[in-house]
Amino acid sequence: MEKIKMTTPIVEMDGDEMTRILWQMIKDELVLPFVDLKAEYYDLGLLHRNETKDQVTIDAANANKKYGVAVKCATITPNKQRMEEYPQLTEMWKSPNGTIRSILDGTVFRAPILVDCVKPVIKTWEKPITIARHAYGDIYRGVEIQTDEPGEVALTFKGESGNKQSVLVQKVDGAAVWQGVYNTESSIRSFAHACFKYCIATKQDLWFSTKDTISKVYDGYFKELFDEVHNEYKAEFARLGLEYFYTLIDDAVARVIRSKGGYVWACKNYDGDVMSDMVSTAFGSLAMMTSVLVSPDGKFEYEAAHGTVTRHYYKYLEGQDTSTNPIATIFAWSGGLRKRGELDGITGLVKYGDALEQASLDAINAGVMTGDLVGLVEPGFQAKSVSSKAFIAEVRGRLAELLG
Ligand code: NAP
Ligand code: MG
């Protein structure tokens, strides 16, 4: 079989721990034998980020801006414990995803991958629920301080015109913690546009939730801008029979659980972070959730929604064959290469993306799957737990067949 040719490189962002191991397996077994891969490679592994003082993350995000499509492996966001684990770290580097999101702006859409043999924990869910997570600002760009004496904090805005606004945050009589967060009109607007556009493209209703009863100004601004942007899409939504629905975040959580699914739930940055883990777990597994960052100017970054699966990595280092689920990482590759194919008009690459997903789902529906899924299948379904390596080999065989 002749390998599929590419014209524009895809930006490849390598990562950490177990997902880095899966990344290489997927490339070797499922990508390189079929595609004449053109990639611009950036190593976002923690130690390389440290060596480059995190410049590599910025370079990778800029390459994503330049070429349009990236695939990213999960990466470690260092915390105190990681600083002890990796004593060579010179700084507690920021979350690479946070850095990429703030350079690209945009919205993260997370959708579960459904398979027939695994039914959602929530019995009423019939269709996927896609979380649209605003990927800019709030606590992810926040600043924080800890203080240990009585005192006060004020929030001050100094306009370039000389205008000043100030408000007392609080006066305290002892130790305290403080946080300053922000968002911008343009980012919130592009979040809203991305959501309405995505819903039109996928013919799904849009739900949006905030806590504007408590955060009247901050969250109230989100609601107001969504209402404004909605006006621009009202006619198209009506034509397609779609609905835009705003409600409070706590009400939304309750309604989501009782719903049938089949809509996009737009969430502020933190809500989206938390709710996507809840939704993916209830649909089956965190390992079955895709994630794509869509920037307002149409740049795409595909990745798995889960992390680097540390516990499995330590087993792997002990020489064990782990049964880590590679599905979401495979779908990052299929999604990225398919999008590259669409943008460059390469039908072979689009078909390859579809076939890779089909082969992965076929393997699971035939009962071959990783350990995390075996416990979730419907009673009576014959499922065999295999290692990541064996699962990928199974997918490769099916992919080769599908591609003839
Ligand atoms: P995680 O890597 O997603 O793993 C949490 C647990 O979920 C695992 O221990 C495992 O459960 C299960 N799991 C997740 N993905 C799986 C898969 N593909 N196959 C099988 N089981 C899977 O989250 P974490 O342990 O909180 O974070 C680990 C590191 O990842 C952290 O350093 C964090 O900074 C980073 N992280 C990165 C990203 C990103 O780059 N996008 C996102 C989140 C977290 P069992 O152990 O019970 O099998
Ligand atoms: Mg998260």
Side-chain angles (χ1 to χ4, degrees), residues 17 19 22 72-79 82 95-97 101 110 277 285-288 303-312 315 323-329 370-372:
E17 299 193 314
T19 39
L22 293 178
K72 181 183 169 290
C73 178
T75 44
I76 293 172
T77 299
N79 53 14
R82 295 291 195 176
S95 150
N97 287 55
R101 283 170 201 150
R110 285 188 179 163
D277 282 7
S285 155
L286 196 57
M288 298 289 281
E303 59 175 286
H306 61 78
T308 58
V309 212
T310 311
R311 207 178 60 85
H312 294 218
K315 281 194 184 163
S323 184
T324 319
N325 191 337
I327 286 281
T329 307
T370 46
D372 55 315

mmCIF file of all heavy atoms in Angstrom, residues 17 19 22 72-79 82 95-97 101 110 277 285-288 303-312 315 323-329 370-372, ligand 1:
data_model
loop_
_atom_site.group_PDB
_atom_site.id
_atom_site.type_symbol
_atom_site.label_atom_id
_atom_site.label_comp_id
_atom_site.label_asym_id
_atom_site.label_seq_id
_atom_site.Cartn_x
_atom_site.Cartn_y
_atom_site.Cartn_z
ATOM 1 N N GLU A 17 5.212 10.862 30.615
ATOM 2 C CA GLU A 17 4.827 9.643 31.315
ATOM 3 C C GLU A 17 4.151 8.615 30.404
ATOM 4 O O GLU A 17 4.604 8.352 29.293
ATOM 5 C CB GLU A 17 3.972 10.007 32.562
ATOM 6 C CG GLU A 17 4.772 10.875 33.533
ATOM 7 C CD GLU A 17 4.174 11.028 34.897
ATOM 8 O OE1 GLU A 17 2.971 11.286 35.020
ATOM 9 O OE2 GLU A 17 4.945 10.888 35.887
ATOM 10 N N THR A 19 1.433 8.553 28.704
ATOM 11 C CA THR A 19 0.912 9.002 27.408
ATOM 12 C C THR A 19 2.054 9.201 26.394
ATOM 13 O O THR A 19 1.849 9.053 25.202
ATOM 14 C CB THR A 19 0.076 10.288 27.552
ATOM 15 O OG1 THR A 19 0.687 11.147 28.497
ATOM 16 C CG2 THR A 19 -1.338 9.967 27.991
ATOM 17 N N LEU A 22 2.509 5.774 25.035
ATOM 18 C CA LEU A 22 1.417 5.461 24.087
ATOM 19 C C LEU A 22 1.611 6.239 22.776
ATOM 20 O O LEU A 22 1.353 5.729 21.690
ATOM 21 C CB LEU A 22 0.052 5.843 24.682
ATOM 22 C CG LEU A 22 -0.439 5.061 25.895
ATOM 23 C CD1 LEU A 22 -1.786 5.618 26.370
ATOM 24 C CD2 LEU A 22 -0.590 3.571 25.575
ATOM 25 N N LYS A 72 -1.518 17.082 20.374
ATOM 26 C CA LYS A 72 -0.733 17.205 21.601
ATOM 27 C C LYS A 72 -0.915 16.014 22.522
ATOM 28 O O LYS A 72 -2.026 15.543 22.737
ATOM 29 C CB LYS A 72 -1.122 18.489 22.347
ATOM 30 C CG LYS A 72 -0.316 18.690 23.618
ATOM 31 C CD LYS A 72 -0.742 19.913 24.408
ATOM 32 C CE LYS A 72 -0.087 19.910 25.776
ATOM 33 N NZ LYS A 72 -0.601 18.863 26.679
ATOM 34 N N CYS A 73 0.188 15.552 23.046
ATOM 35 C CA CYS A 73 0.207 14.486 24.048
ATOM 36 C C CYS A 73 -0.022 15.129 25.417
ATOM 37 O O CYS A 73 0.287 16.302 25.610
ATOM 38 C CB CYS A 73 1.583 13.828 23.989
ATOM 39 S SG CYS A 73 1.863 12.510 25.195
ATOM 40 N N ALA A 74 -0.549 14.369 26.369
ATOM 41 C CA ALA A 74 -0.741 14.917 27.710
ATOM 42 C C ALA A 74 0.617 15.245 28.342
ATOM 43 O O ALA A 74 1.616 14.580 28.071
ATOM 44 C CB ALA A 74 -1.500 13.924 28.588
ATOM 45 N N THR A 75 0.639 16.266 29.159
ATOM 46 C CA THR A 75 1.880 16.747 29.772
ATOM 47 C C THR A 75 1.685 16.951 31.275
ATOM 48 O O THR A 75 0.570 17.220 31.727
ATOM 49 C CB THR A 75 2.265 18.112 29.162
ATOM 50 O OG1 THR A 75 1.084 18.921 29.083
ATOM 51 C CG2 THR A 75 2.855 17.965 27.768
ATOM 52 N N ILE A 76 2.777 16.872 32.008
ATOM 53 C CA ILE A 76 2.730 17.128 33.453
ATOM 54 C C ILE A 76 2.657 18.628 33.701
ATOM 55 O O ILE A 76 3.436 19.387 33.125
ATOM 56 C CB ILE A 76 4.003 16.589 34.140
ATOM 57 C CG1 ILE A 76 4.051 15.065 34.088
ATOM 58 C CG2 ILE A 76 4.110 17.094 35.572
ATOM 59 C CD1 ILE A 76 5.364 14.470 34.574
ATOM 60 N N THR A 77 1.719 19.038 34.530
ATOM 61 C CA THR A 77 1.758 20.404 35.059
ATOM 62 C C THR A 77 2.401 20.300 36.428
ATOM 63 O O THR A 77 1.842 19.677 37.330
ATOM 64 C CB THR A 77 0.338 20.988 35.205
ATOM 65 O OG1 THR A 77 -0.262 21.020 33.919
ATOM 66 C CG2 THR A 77 0.383 22.394 35.781
ATOM 67 N N PRO A 78 3.603 20.842 36.587
ATOM 68 C CA PRO A 78 4.292 20.634 37.861
ATOM 69 C C PRO A 78 3.572 21.279 39.046
ATOM 70 O O PRO A 78 2.972 22.342 38.906
ATOM 71 C CB PRO A 78 5.671 21.277 37.651
ATOM 72 C CG PRO A 78 5.633 22.014 36.380
ATOM 73 C CD PRO A 78 4.395 21.636 35.630
ATOM 74 N N ASN A 79 3.594 20.573 40.166
ATOM 75 C CA ASN A 79 3.097 21.113 41.437
ATOM 76 C C ASN A 79 4.192 20.852 42.470
ATOM 77 O O ASN A 79 5.290 20.405 42.096
ATOM 78 C CB ASN A 79 1.775 20.448 41.815
ATOM 79 C CG ASN A 79 1.881 18.932 41.822
ATOM 80 O OD1 ASN A 79 2.974 18.364 41.803
ATOM 81 N ND2 ASN A 79 0.758 18.247 41.839
ATOM 82 N N ARG A 82 5.673 17.404 42.306
ATOM 83 C CA ARG A 82 6.505 17.172 41.120
ATOM 84 C C ARG A 82 7.873 17.845 41.260
ATOM 85 O O ARG A 82 8.868 17.370 40.729
ATOM 86 C CB ARG A 82 5.808 17.733 39.871
ATOM 87 C CG ARG A 82 4.517 17.022 39.516
ATOM 88 C CD ARG A 82 4.773 15.622 39.028
ATOM 89 N NE ARG A 82 3.587 15.074 38.368
ATOM 90 C CZ ARG A 82 3.565 13.889 37.780
ATOM 91 N NH1 ARG A 82 4.641 13.112 37.797
ATOM 92 N NH2 ARG A 82 2.463 13.458 37.190
ATOM 93 N N SER A 95 1.117 25.376 33.412
ATOM 94 C CA SER A 95 0.473 24.342 32.618
ATOM 95 C C SER A 95 0.685 24.634 31.127
ATOM 96 O O SER A 95 0.353 25.721 30.657
ATOM 97 C CB SER A 95 -1.026 24.350 32.939
ATOM 98 O OG SER A 95 -1.761 23.936 31.812
ATOM 99 N N PRO A 96 1.262 23.679 30.369
ATOM 100 C CA PRO A 96 1.456 23.906 28.932
ATOM 101 C C PRO A 96 0.126 24.197 28.236
ATOM 102 O O PRO A 96 0.054 25.059 27.356
ATOM 103 C CB PRO A 96 2.053 22.602 28.420
ATOM 104 C CG PRO A 96 2.608 21.928 29.615
ATOM 105 C CD PRO A 96 1.800 22.373 30.784
ATOM 106 N N ASN A 97 -0.925 23.489 28.673
ATOM 107 C CA ASN A 97 -2.230 23.734 28.055
ATOM 108 C C ASN A 97 -2.688 25.158 28.288
ATOM 109 O O ASN A 97 -3.233 25.797 27.405
ATOM 110 C CB ASN A 97 -3.261 22.745 28.589
ATOM 111 C CG ASN A 97 -3.031 21.361 28.032
ATOM 112 O OD1 ASN A 97 -1.937 20.822 28.165
ATOM 113 N ND2 ASN A 97 -4.016 20.794 27.383
ATOM 114 N N ARG A 101 -3.372 27.713 25.351
ATOM 115 C CA ARG A 101 -4.700 28.324 25.256
ATOM 116 C C ARG A 101 -4.610 29.840 25.284
ATOM 117 O O ARG A 101 -5.359 30.516 24.583
ATOM 118 C CB ARG A 101 -5.584 27.872 26.423
ATOM 119 C CG ARG A 101 -6.120 26.474 26.227
ATOM 120 C CD ARG A 101 -6.778 25.993 27.509
ATOM 121 N NE ARG A 101 -6.837 24.554 27.508
ATOM 122 C CZ ARG A 101 -6.804 23.803 28.598
ATOM 123 N NH1 ARG A 101 -6.686 24.357 29.793
ATOM 124 N NH2 ARG A 101 -6.872 22.501 28.498
ATOM 125 N N ARG A 110 -15.076 19.285 24.287
ATOM 126 C CA ARG A 110 -14.775 17.922 24.734
ATOM 127 C C ARG A 110 -15.989 17.046 24.533
ATOM 128 O O ARG A 110 -17.054 17.321 25.081
ATOM 129 C CB ARG A 110 -14.393 17.929 26.206
ATOM 130 C CG ARG A 110 -13.005 18.463 26.390
ATOM 131 C CD ARG A 110 -12.516 18.311 27.797
ATOM 132 N NE ARG A 110 -11.155 18.831 27.864
ATOM 133 C CZ ARG A 110 -10.534 19.154 28.982
ATOM 134 N NH1 ARG A 110 -11.142 18.990 30.132
ATOM 135 N NH2 ARG A 110 -9.311 19.612 28.960
ATOM 136 N N ASP A 277 -14.747 16.249 33.273
ATOM 137 C CA ASP A 277 -14.336 14.994 33.922
ATOM 138 C C ASP A 277 -15.559 14.237 34.422
ATOM 139 O O ASP A 277 -15.630 13.009 34.328
ATOM 140 C CB ASP A 277 -13.397 15.275 35.110
ATOM 141 C CG ASP A 277 -11.974 15.576 34.651
ATOM 142 O OD1 ASP A 277 -11.762 15.696 33.430
ATOM 143 O OD2 ASP A 277 -11.079 15.702 35.499
ATOM 144 N N SER A 285 -15.492 6.505 30.573
ATOM 145 C CA SER A 285 -14.162 6.626 31.118
ATOM 146 C C SER A 285 -13.521 7.921 30.634
ATOM 147 O O SER A 285 -13.784 8.384 29.523
ATOM 148 C CB SER A 285 -13.349 5.411 30.653
ATOM 149 O OG SER A 285 -11.987 5.689 30.631
ATOM 150 N N LEU A 286 -12.672 8.457 31.485
ATOM 151 C CA LEU A 286 -11.919 9.654 31.121
ATOM 152 C C LEU A 286 -11.061 9.373 29.884
ATOM 153 O O LEU A 286 -10.717 10.267 29.127
ATOM 154 C CB LEU A 286 -11.019 10.033 32.303
ATOM 155 C CG LEU A 286 -10.422 11.427 32.341
ATOM 156 C CD1 LEU A 286 -11.506 12.480 32.286
ATOM 157 C CD2 LEU A 286 -9.587 11.599 33.592
ATOM 158 N N ALA A 287 -10.754 8.107 29.696
ATOM 159 C CA ALA A 287 -9.911 7.713 28.570
ATOM 160 C C ALA A 287 -10.689 7.708 27.260
ATOM 161 O O ALA A 287 -10.133 7.416 26.210
ATOM 162 C CB ALA A 287 -9.335 6.330 28.827
ATOM 163 N N MET A 288 -12.000 8.021 27.319
ATOM 164 C CA MET A 288 -12.839 7.998 26.121
ATOM 165 C C MET A 288 -13.377 9.381 25.813
ATOM 166 O O MET A 288 -14.492 9.539 25.329
ATOM 167 C CB MET A 288 -14.004 7.020 26.329
ATOM 168 C CG MET A 288 -13.573 5.582 26.545
ATOM 169 S SD MET A 288 -12.922 4.808 25.056
ATOM 170 C CE MET A 288 -14.437 4.425 24.193
ATOM 171 N N GLU A 303 -6.255 16.853 21.314
ATOM 172 C CA GLU A 303 -5.589 16.085 22.362
ATOM 173 C C GLU A 303 -6.603 15.200 23.090
ATOM 174 O O GLU A 303 -7.802 15.270 22.829
ATOM 175 C CB GLU A 303 -4.898 17.020 23.355
ATOM 176 C CG GLU A 303 -5.856 17.995 24.028
ATOM 177 C CD GLU A 303 -5.174 18.839 25.090
ATOM 178 O OE1 GLU A 303 -4.883 18.317 26.161
ATOM 179 O OE2 GLU A 303 -4.960 20.030 24.829
ATOM 180 N N ALA A 304 -6.083 14.356 23.979
ATOM 181 C CA ALA A 304 -6.962 13.570 24.841
ATOM 182 C C ALA A 304 -7.341 14.458 26.019
ATOM 183 O O ALA A 304 -6.590 15.351 26.380
ATOM 184 C CB ALA A 304 -6.217 12.330 25.331
ATOM 185 N N ALA A 305 -8.503 14.191 26.633
ATOM 186 C CA ALA A 305 -8.888 15.029 27.777
ATOM 187 C C ALA A 305 -8.198 14.590 29.063
ATOM 188 O O ALA A 305 -8.115 15.349 30.015
ATOM 189 C CB ALA A 305 -10.407 14.998 27.952
ATOM 190 N N HIS A 306 -7.685 13.349 29.084
ATOM 191 C CA HIS A 306 -7.087 12.864 30.338
ATOM 192 C C HIS A 306 -5.621 13.311 30.464
ATOM 193 O O HIS A 306 -5.067 13.911 29.548
ATOM 194 C CB HIS A 306 -7.211 11.335 30.435
ATOM 195 C CG HIS A 306 -6.520 10.584 29.336
ATOM 196 N ND1 HIS A 306 -5.165 10.385 29.307
ATOM 197 C CD2 HIS A 306 -7.008 9.991 28.209
ATOM 198 C CE1 HIS A 306 -4.853 9.686 28.219
ATOM 199 N NE2 HIS A 306 -5.952 9.445 27.534
ATOM 200 N N GLY A 307 -5.040 12.978 31.620
ATOM 201 C CA GLY A 307 -3.663 13.376 31.893
ATOM 202 C C GLY A 307 -2.656 12.314 31.487
ATOM 203 O O GLY A 307 -2.929 11.494 30.590
ATOM 204 N N THR A 308 -1.510 12.313 32.161
ATOM 205 C CA THR A 308 -0.388 11.469 31.740
ATOM 206 C C THR A 308 -0.444 10.058 32.339
ATOM 207 O O THR A 308 0.462 9.262 32.132
ATOM 208 C CB THR A 308 0.932 12.137 32.148
ATOM 209 O OG1 THR A 308 0.916 12.337 33.572
ATOM 210 C CG2 THR A 308 1.102 13.492 31.473
ATOM 211 N N VAL A 309 -1.505 9.760 33.077
ATOM 212 C CA VAL A 309 -1.764 8.431 33.674
ATOM 213 C C VAL A 309 -0.534 7.917 34.459
ATOM 214 O O VAL A 309 -0.013 6.822 34.204
ATOM 215 C CB VAL A 309 -2.254 7.395 32.631
ATOM 216 C CG1 VAL A 309 -3.228 6.395 33.288
ATOM 217 C CG2 VAL A 309 -2.927 8.038 31.426
ATOM 218 N N THR A 310 -0.152 8.706 35.433
ATOM 219 C CA THR A 310 1.075 8.490 36.218
ATOM 220 C C THR A 310 1.172 7.095 36.845
ATOM 221 O O THR A 310 2.203 6.443 36.764
ATOM 222 C CB THR A 310 1.135 9.545 37.352
ATOM 223 O OG1 THR A 310 0.877 10.824 36.765
ATOM 224 C CG2 THR A 310 2.479 9.554 38.035
ATOM 225 N N ARG A 311 0.058 6.664 37.452
ATOM 226 C CA ARG A 311 0.098 5.369 38.154
ATOM 227 C C ARG A 311 0.497 4.238 37.197
ATOM 228 O O ARG A 311 1.271 3.352 37.557
ATOM 229 C CB ARG A 311 -1.286 5.095 38.771
ATOM 230 C CG ARG A 311 -1.265 4.205 39.989
ATOM 231 C CD ARG A 311 -2.663 4.039 40.561
ATOM 232 N NE ARG A 311 -3.613 3.451 39.621
ATOM 233 C CZ ARG A 311 -3.777 2.144 39.422
ATOM 234 N NH1 ARG A 311 -3.054 1.288 40.113
ATOM 235 N NH2 ARG A 311 -4.668 1.689 38.551
ATOM 236 N N HIS A 312 -0.038 4.277 35.993
ATOM 237 C CA HIS A 312 0.294 3.248 34.996
ATOM 238 C C HIS A 312 1.769 3.357 34.586
ATOM 239 O O HIS A 312 2.424 2.357 34.330
ATOM 240 C CB HIS A 312 -0.601 3.387 33.760
ATOM 241 C CG HIS A 312 -2.048 3.098 34.031
ATOM 242 N ND1 HIS A 312 -2.856 2.440 33.136
ATOM 243 C CD2 HIS A 312 -2.843 3.367 35.107
ATOM 244 C CE1 HIS A 312 -4.081 2.335 33.644
ATOM 245 N NE2 HIS A 312 -4.099 2.900 34.827
ATOM 246 N N LYS A 315 4.070 1.569 36.850
ATOM 247 C CA LYS A 315 4.004 0.117 36.601
ATOM 248 C C LYS A 315 4.819 -0.225 35.358
ATOM 249 O O LYS A 315 5.532 -1.219 35.316
ATOM 250 C CB LYS A 315 2.554 -0.309 36.366
ATOM 251 C CG LYS A 315 1.757 -0.444 37.630
ATOM 252 C CD LYS A 315 0.481 -1.180 37.287
ATOM 253 C CE LYS A 315 -0.449 -1.293 38.471
ATOM 254 N NZ LYS A 315 -1.796 -1.643 38.007
ATOM 255 N N SER A 323 -2.295 -1.851 30.782
ATOM 256 C CA SER A 323 -3.485 -1.834 29.944
ATOM 257 C C SER A 323 -4.086 -0.431 30.005
ATOM 258 O O SER A 323 -5.192 -0.234 30.483
ATOM 259 C CB SER A 323 -4.464 -2.904 30.444
ATOM 260 O OG SER A 323 -5.581 -2.974 29.588
ATOM 261 N N THR A 324 -3.325 0.529 29.517
ATOM 262 C CA THR A 324 -3.761 1.931 29.510
ATOM 263 C C THR A 324 -4.521 2.178 28.217
ATOM 264 O O THR A 324 -4.080 1.731 27.155
ATOM 265 C CB THR A 324 -2.530 2.858 29.579
ATOM 266 O OG1 THR A 324 -1.603 2.325 30.506
ATOM 267 C CG2 THR A 324 -2.924 4.268 29.943
ATOM 268 N N ASN A 325 -5.621 2.868 28.328
ATOM 269 C CA ASN A 325 -6.490 3.053 27.155
ATOM 270 C C ASN A 325 -5.936 4.144 26.213
ATOM 271 O O ASN A 325 -5.849 5.302 26.603
ATOM 272 C CB ASN A 325 -7.884 3.439 27.648
ATOM 273 C CG ASN A 325 -8.927 3.387 26.555
ATOM 274 O OD1 ASN A 325 -8.596 3.483 25.382
ATOM 275 N ND2 ASN A 325 -10.173 3.248 26.939
ATOM 276 N N PRO A 326 -5.585 3.769 24.983
ATOM 277 C CA PRO A 326 -5.009 4.770 24.076
ATOM 278 C C PRO A 326 -6.042 5.484 23.206
ATOM 279 O O PRO A 326 -5.671 6.324 22.383
ATOM 280 C CB PRO A 326 -4.081 3.921 23.193
ATOM 281 C CG PRO A 326 -4.760 2.590 23.114
ATOM 282 C CD PRO A 326 -5.555 2.420 24.395
ATOM 283 N N ILE A 327 -7.347 5.154 23.391
ATOM 284 C CA ILE A 327 -8.380 5.643 22.465
ATOM 285 C C ILE A 327 -8.373 7.164 22.287
ATOM 286 O O ILE A 327 -8.349 7.669 21.168
ATOM 287 C CB ILE A 327 -9.790 5.183 22.921
ATOM 288 C CG1 ILE A 327 -9.971 3.694 22.633
ATOM 289 C CG2 ILE A 327 -10.884 5.977 22.242
ATOM 290 C CD1 ILE A 327 -10.296 3.342 21.201
ATOM 291 N N ALA A 328 -8.381 7.908 23.394
ATOM 292 C CA ALA A 328 -8.484 9.366 23.259
ATOM 293 C C ALA A 328 -7.243 9.939 22.566
ATOM 294 O O ALA A 328 -7.345 10.917 21.816
ATOM 295 C CB ALA A 328 -8.691 10.013 24.625
ATOM 296 N N THR A 329 -6.094 9.321 22.792
ATOM 297 C CA THR A 329 -4.870 9.792 22.123
ATOM 298 C C THR A 329 -4.899 9.408 20.642
ATOM 299 O O THR A 329 -4.484 10.189 19.777
ATOM 300 C CB THR A 329 -3.624 9.240 22.852
ATOM 301 O OG1 THR A 329 -3.725 9.577 24.235
ATOM 302 C CG2 THR A 329 -2.348 9.834 22.290
ATOM 303 N N THR A 370 -9.085 -2.277 26.637
ATOM 304 C CA THR A 370 -8.189 -2.134 27.780
ATOM 305 C C THR A 370 -8.985 -2.308 29.080
ATOM 306 O O THR A 370 -10.216 -2.215 29.090
ATOM 307 C CB THR A 370 -7.497 -0.756 27.749
ATOM 308 O OG1 THR A 370 -8.470 0.246 27.468
ATOM 309 C CG2 THR A 370 -6.404 -0.727 26.692
ATOM 310 N N GLY A 371 -8.246 -2.526 30.147
ATOM 311 C CA GLY A 371 -8.832 -2.886 31.438
ATOM 312 C C GLY A 371 -9.886 -1.925 31.964
ATOM 313 O O GLY A 371 -10.879 -2.354 32.557
ATOM 314 N N ASP A 372 -9.671 -0.633 31.734
ATOM 315 C CA ASP A 372 -10.618 0.360 32.257
ATOM 316 C C ASP A 372 -12.021 0.157 31.695
ATOM 317 O O ASP A 372 -13.004 0.455 32.369
ATOM 318 C CB ASP A 372 -10.120 1.779 31.934
ATOM 319 C CG ASP A 372 -9.872 1.990 30.452
ATOM 320 O OD1 ASP A 372 -9.262 1.103 29.823
ATOM 321 O OD2 ASP A 372 -10.298 3.022 29.912
HETATM 322 P P1 NAP B 1 -4.932 11.251 34.692
HETATM 323 O O1 NAP B 1 -3.579 11.114 34.141
HETATM 324 O O2 NAP B 1 -6.004 11.568 33.741
HETATM 325 O O3 NAP B 1 -5.269 9.906 35.457
HETATM 326 C C1 NAP B 1 -6.202 9.771 36.494
HETATM 327 C C2 NAP B 1 -6.676 8.325 36.570
HETATM 328 O O4 NAP B 1 -7.670 8.120 35.577
HETATM 329 C C3 NAP B 1 -5.593 7.309 36.271
HETATM 330 O O5 NAP B 1 -4.821 7.011 37.373
HETATM 331 C C4 NAP B 1 -6.411 6.158 35.742
HETATM 332 O O6 NAP B 1 -7.063 5.451 36.780
HETATM 333 C C5 NAP B 1 -7.510 6.866 34.958
HETATM 334 N N1 NAP B 1 -7.117 7.088 33.552
HETATM 335 C C6 NAP B 1 -6.916 8.289 32.929
HETATM 336 N N2 NAP B 1 -6.609 8.095 31.651
HETATM 337 C C7 NAP B 1 -6.600 6.768 31.447
HETATM 338 C C8 NAP B 1 -6.333 5.945 30.318
HETATM 339 N N3 NAP B 1 -5.997 6.480 29.135
HETATM 340 N N4 NAP B 1 -6.428 4.610 30.451
HETATM 341 C C9 NAP B 1 -6.756 4.066 31.638
HETATM 342 N N5 NAP B 1 -7.016 4.788 32.738
HETATM 343 C C10 NAP B 1 -6.938 6.120 32.648
HETATM 344 O O7 NAP B 1 -4.969 12.402 35.802
HETATM 345 P P2 NAP B 1 -4.006 12.707 37.045
HETATM 346 O O8 NAP B 1 -3.468 11.449 37.622
HETATM 347 O O9 NAP B 1 -4.775 13.638 37.862
HETATM 348 O O10 NAP B 1 -2.816 13.544 36.437
HETATM 349 C C11 NAP B 1 -1.557 12.978 36.053
HETATM 350 C C12 NAP B 1 -0.720 14.071 35.402
HETATM 351 O O11 NAP B 1 -1.359 14.486 34.208
HETATM 352 C C13 NAP B 1 -0.556 15.318 36.241
HETATM 353 O O12 NAP B 1 0.828 15.638 36.329
HETATM 354 C C14 NAP B 1 -1.325 16.399 35.528
HETATM 355 O O13 NAP B 1 -0.653 17.620 35.582
HETATM 356 C C15 NAP B 1 -1.354 15.895 34.111
HETATM 357 N N6 NAP B 1 -2.555 16.294 33.331
HETATM 358 C C16 NAP B 1 -2.336 16.702 32.056
HETATM 359 C C17 NAP B 1 -3.399 17.025 31.243
HETATM 360 C C18 NAP B 1 -3.109 17.467 29.844
HETATM 361 O O14 NAP B 1 -1.975 17.538 29.434
HETATM 362 N N7 NAP B 1 -4.105 17.742 29.059
HETATM 363 C C19 NAP B 1 -4.715 16.911 31.718
HETATM 364 C C20 NAP B 1 -4.916 16.448 33.026
HETATM 365 C C21 NAP B 1 -3.812 16.141 33.823
HETATM 366 P P3 NAP B 1 -6.428 4.160 37.518
HETATM 367 O O15 NAP B 1 -5.093 4.612 38.025
HETATM 368 O O16 NAP B 1 -7.424 3.880 38.570
HETATM 369 O O17 NAP B 1 -6.297 3.077 36.508
#
